[in-house]
Amino acid sequence: MSTIIFDFDGTLVELARKDEAGKTVCYATEEILRPTAGCTCVLVTGSPREEVDRIMIETGMNAWVTFVEIVAAEQGGLEKRTGEAFRAIIEQYGPAVVIGDSDTDEQGARAADCPFVRVAKMNNSQDHRQELQRCVTEAIRKM
């Protein structure tokens, strides 16, 4: 198993929050995601693809992480909660671990028979980054 499925909002970024420069808050850093370099990384999100692409550029994330696939909101029939989105990824890339922050992420992972690592809600960006780093490490251990 070498595939990691990431949620976007609440896991890698916080769409509802802006930093001092007015940019979307980004929790993911090159250092945090470096251990995933040998893995197949896929992004599954309820956000529209156009918004994901814009935020990936705005935060600089597109320079240091490559998602082999981004499954976005407008891809009908690939819902997280039912596990359909995760099953489609498993069919294409093999067994996977899901990293997410919501009950929907967990329900979908369970429905697709994937190990799940929950990113706990934190009060500030630095604590969230530490939590994300812990989750990436745990996901890699589960592979």
Side-chain angles (χ1 to χ4, degrees):
M1 181 179 346
S2 62
T3 301
I4 300 177
I5 301 171
F6 287 94
D7 170 53
F8 194 56
D9 186 26
T11 300
L12 300 177
V13 301
E14 193 67 55
L15 297 178
R17 292 183 51 217
K18 303 292 181 194
D19 64 16
E20 307 80 42
K23 294 181 180 179
T24 301
V25 170
C26 182
Y27 301 126
T29 66
E30 184 173 7
E31 180 181 340
I32 290 170
L33 295 181
R34 187 174 293 128
T36 68
C39 303
T40 300
C41 294
V42 179
L43 187 66
V44 177
T45 179
S47 301
R49 177 62 187 258
E50 185 176 302
E51 183 177 32
V52 171
D53 290 341
R54 179 185 58 76
I55 291 169
M56 293 280 292
I57 292 167
E58 175 186 296
T59 61
M61 197 183 316
N62 63 321
W64 40 263
V65 65
T66 300
F67 293 107
V68 297
E69 187 170 349
I70 296 175
V71 178
E74 59 272 14
Q75 291 176 256
L78 294 178
E79 294 183 35
K80 280 190 196 181
R81 184 180 308 277
T82 64
E84 287 303 313
F86 302 140
R87 279 192 285 276
I89 290 163
I90 292 165
E91 285 176 21
Q92 186 165 356
Y93 302 105
V97 175
V98 177
I99 299 177
D101 70 309
S102 70
D103 291 342
T104 298
D105 297 328
E106 185 172 10
Q107 289 167 356
R110 209 176 294 142
D113 201 27
C114 287
F116 177 73
V117 180
R118 183 181 290 267
V119 178
K121 299 289 184 193
M122 296 295 171
N123 292 325
N124 61 62
S125 295
Q126 186 55 41
D127 288 348
H128 191 101
R129 286 184 185 101
Q130 289 174 350
E131 172 66 359
L132 180 58
Q133 188 163 29
R134 180 198 67 77
C135 291
V136 167
T137 301
E138 184 179 337
I140 290 170
R141 268 199 319 266
K142 289 185 176 200
M143 296 170 98

